[in-house]
Amino acid sequence: MYLALKDLESLFDNRRGIHDNLLFASVSDQANETQPKGLFVSFNGKYEELSEAITNGAIAAIWDHEHVLPRYIPNHFPIFFTDDLAESIVAILNRYIEKLNGETDNIMEITNFKFSNKKLLNKNKETYDIAVMLNEVSSKNEPERRE
């Protein structure tokens, strides 16, 4: 199940562009990588970065409202404006998890999330290190010891 444009419309009040049934195959902050049907998140607000993302397949973008939007962006291109890009990504991830919750299809096409921005990575308080996860699970399952 893909992240849809309508999923984002419920999260962002400030937006422009078409309101169509677009589906996103990827969400990324890396303009230089191929992202067909991609949602691009610009952490730098650089004109050339958004142009490169569109060239590589981005069909919409999340944009910091403090950065000026390039004039070359067509009016129909979906842009979602935000005050905090990292918080917006967390909200998008939470919405996507809610959307996937309860899905029972064994074979399903999903949206790929790919981020390299350190600010965003530091904002995430979860760990995906298997050793840390096993330690947390085992400590929760151990009975209390009385001496």
Side-chain angles (χ1 to χ4, degrees):
M1 179 172 295
Y2 288 120
L3 180 69
L5 186 71
K6 66 181 178 181
D7 297 325
L8 299 179
E9 289 175 346
S10 64
L11 294 174
F12 296 92
D13 294 329
N14 191 2
R15 61 184 181 266
R16 67 168 248 192
I18 63 170
H19 304 285
D20 202 357
N21 292 328
L22 296 178
L23 299 175
F24 300 107
S26 66
V27 179
S28 179
D29 67 341
Q30 299 174 24
N32 60 343
E33 296 208 7
T34 302
Q35 49 183 312
K37 293 187 179 181
L39 173 63
F40 177 65
V41 182
S42 175
F43 279 94
N44 300 321
K46 295 181 180 175
Y47 295 149
E48 64 277 0
E49 189 180 57
L50 183 55
S51 176
E52 186 175 10
I54 292 170
T55 300
N56 285 322
I59 57 174
I62 307 292
W63 193 262
D64 187 330
H65 81 283
E66 291 182 4
H67 294 136
V68 176
L69 194 61
R71 291 182 185 242
Y72 61 79
I73 301 300
N75 288 335
H76 67 277
F77 187 82
I79 302 280
F80 297 92
F81 298 97
T82 183
D83 295 332
D84 188 339
L85 289 164
E87 285 295 327
S88 295
I89 295 306
V90 170
I92 291 169
L93 285 167
N94 287 333
R95 177 61 52 92
Y96 189 62
I97 290 168
E98 288 172 13
K99 186 174 182 171
L100 289 178
N101 193 14
E103 284 297 317
T104 58
D105 292 340
N106 290 335
I107 300 173
M108 177 186 340
E109 292 181 334
I110 59 170
T111 300
N112 294 313
F113 290 82
K114 187 173 184 179
F115 294 99
S116 63
N117 184 282
K118 290 181 181 179
K119 178 182 175 186
L120 175 63
L121 295 174
N122 289 337
K123 198 145 192 154
N124 183 7
K125 294 179 176 45
E126 297 293 323
T127 181
Y128 301 102
D129 183 335
I130 192 66
V132 173
M133 292 170 71
L134 285 173
N135 189 32
E136 288 177 4
V137 168
S138 65
S139 66
K140 288 179 184 177
N141 291 334
E142 285 183 9
E144 289 185 34
R145 295 182 184 175
R146 294 186 179 181
E147 294 183 29

